[in-house]
């Protein structure tokens, strides 16, 4: 299983000279509000909210084709879809506060974010996902660096998810796969992979659903709370042994993805 060291993105990152791989110490300073250009961002109390983590998780069938089927085109396509989504977020939802007669927000059109790509779920299942950590910093048109007003980033979370699904679906179709909408907000799976198969490889989601059902929780907010409370680590398998573990499971479950990949 591979994990990327992280990659900088966003117009604000470019203005700050943040590009390429993410240096851990520099990243930590940025999260504390100490920017590379010497600017420091803090609220009136001197505190600083580090940033916001947007997570983009591929449909299970996509992850299975990439990590079990070993279609090496898919992981880069997934990252491309995430980057396109973040560019959309940056253009439409990046805001900073300005003072005057009353607090208000102005669009800035620039963000700085660090993207970390992973391919394993908390339950050791194959799962392509990207954590995009958006720094709490943006540059206003007057040149001043200020904290983000993240109201829209929260309120438009569902819309962001829809944009991501649309981008990834287009990428998968470019690779020759047939897709089908399976849920709200454009969520989809790849045609030819049975829903029962997807369930077998989605043990993290099954754990959350089982806990939510037991507590009679049905709202999105409640489901997120359940996810937070069910993060106990299961048996940890060494990264070098995960691919072999997955192949053994696929053999036991009779999963052969090669015909779908060949058709694509």
């Amino acid at each position: 299983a591979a994990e990327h060291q992280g990659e900088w993105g966003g117009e604000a990152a470019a203005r700050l000279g943040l590009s390429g791989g993410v240096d851990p110490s520099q990243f930590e300073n940025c999260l504390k509000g100490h920017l590379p250009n010497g600017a420091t961002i803090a609220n009136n109390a001197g505190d600083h909210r580090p940033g916001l983590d947007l997570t983009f998780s591929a449909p299970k069938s996509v992850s299975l084709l990439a990590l079990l089927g070993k279609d090496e085109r898919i992981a880069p396509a997934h990252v491309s879809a995430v980057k396109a989504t973040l560019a959309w977020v940056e253009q439409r939802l990046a805001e900073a506060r300005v003072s005057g007669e009353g607090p208000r927000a102005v669009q800035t059109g620039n963000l700085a974010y660090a993207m970390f790509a992973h391919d394993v779920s908390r339950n050791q299942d194959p799962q392509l996902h990207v954590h995009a950590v958006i720094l709490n910093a943006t540059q206003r048109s007057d040149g001043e660096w200020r904290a983000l007003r993240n109201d829209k980033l929260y309120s438009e979370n569902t819309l962001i998810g829809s944009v991501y699904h649309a981008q990834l679906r287009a990428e998968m179709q470019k690779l020759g796969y047939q897709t089908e909408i399976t849920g709200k907000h454009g969520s989809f799976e790849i045609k030819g992979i049975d829903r029962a198969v997807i369930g077998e490889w989605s043990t993290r989601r099954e754990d959350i659903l089982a806990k939510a059902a037991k507590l009679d929780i049905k709202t999105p907010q409640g489901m997120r709370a359940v996810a937070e409370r069910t993060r106990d680590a299961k048996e940890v398998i060494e990264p070098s042994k995960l691919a072999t573990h997955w192949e053994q499971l696929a053999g036991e479950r009779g999963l052969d993805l090669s015909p779908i990949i060949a058709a694509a």
Side-chain angles (χ1 to χ4, degrees):
E3 291 190 0
H4 297 205
Q5 70 175 75
E7 178 186 352
W8 287 109
E11 174 61 28
R15 295 178 189 179
L16 291 168
L18 298 169
S19 63
V22 177
D23 176 76
S25 59
Q26 188 177 52
F27 181 53
E28 185 176 355
N29 283 333
C30 289
L31 289 176
K32 291 178 179 177
H34 305 301
L35 304 182
N37 62 356
T40 296
I41 296 176
N43 62 22
N44 293 333
D47 301 323
H48 179 70
R49 174 174 44 81
L52 177 68
D53 179 7
L54 293 183
T55 303
F56 300 93
S57 190
K60 183 59 67 174
S61 57
V62 173
S63 292
L64 292 177
L65 289 164
L67 302 170
L68 278 178
K70 295 182 171 54
D71 185 340
E72 296 182 354
R73 304 173 300 164
I74 294 177
H78 178 244
V79 172
S80 178
V82 171
K83 288 180 177 179
T85 304
L86 288 169
W88 182 93
V89 170
E90 180 175 56
Q91 292 166 11
R92 291 165 176 79
L93 305 181
E95 293 183 334
R97 292 185 185 278
V98 291
S99 56
E101 295 180 1
R104 61 188 180 90
V106 292
Q107 280 194 293
T108 62
N110 62 89
L111 293 173
Y113 46 83
M115 295 171 289
F116 300 91
H118 304 271
D119 56 17
V120 185
S121 75
R122 287 183 175 271
N123 283 29
Q124 308 284 288
D125 290 329
Q127 187 60 59
L128 289 177
H129 60 286
V130 172
H131 289 282
V133 181
I134 300 176
L135 299 183
N136 185 18
T138 189
Q139 188 177 33
R140 297 189 316 209
S141 59
D142 61 4
E144 292 294 317
W145 287 89
R146 291 291 185 266
L148 274 175
R149 179 176 178 177
N150 58 15
D151 303 48
K152 283 190 176 180
L153 292 173
Y154 282 116
S155 65
E156 302 293 355
N157 187 58
T158 298
L159 181 57
I160 294 170
S162 297
V163 172
Y164 160 68
H165 284 125
Q167 295 286 352
L168 181 57
R169 190 179 180 206
E171 291 287 342
M172 294 304 293
Q173 289 172 341
K174 286 180 191 175
L175 298 183
Y177 289 103
Q178 293 185 305
T179 64
E180 55 185 350
I181 299 293
T182 56
K184 296 179 180 179
H185 316 305
S187 60
F188 71 95
E189 296 290 353
I190 302 300
K191 285 185 178 179
I193 299 181
D194 192 88
R195 297 301 295 273
V197 170
I198 291 169
E200 284 183 317
W201 294 90
S202 306
T203 55
R204 169 75 175 143
R205 176 164 174 76
E206 295 305 314
D207 285 351
I208 294 171
L209 290 176
K211 185 69 172 177
K214 185 177 180 180
L215 298 173
D216 195 28
I217 292 174
K218 299 175 183 177
T219 66
Q221 295 87 349
M223 294 292 282
R224 283 195 290 270
V226 170
E228 289 292 331
R229 292 200 299 266
T230 57
R231 287 188 165 184
D232 295 337
K234 295 210 170 185
E235 178 188 0
V236 177
I237 303 169
E238 291 181 28
S240 61
K241 297 180 180 179
L242 266 175
T244 301
H245 171 67
W246 290 340
E247 288 173 5
Q248 289 174 344
L249 282 179
E252 293 169 6
R253 294 168 177 173
L255 179 61
D256 180 10
L257 297 170
S258 56
I260 298 173
I261 296 173

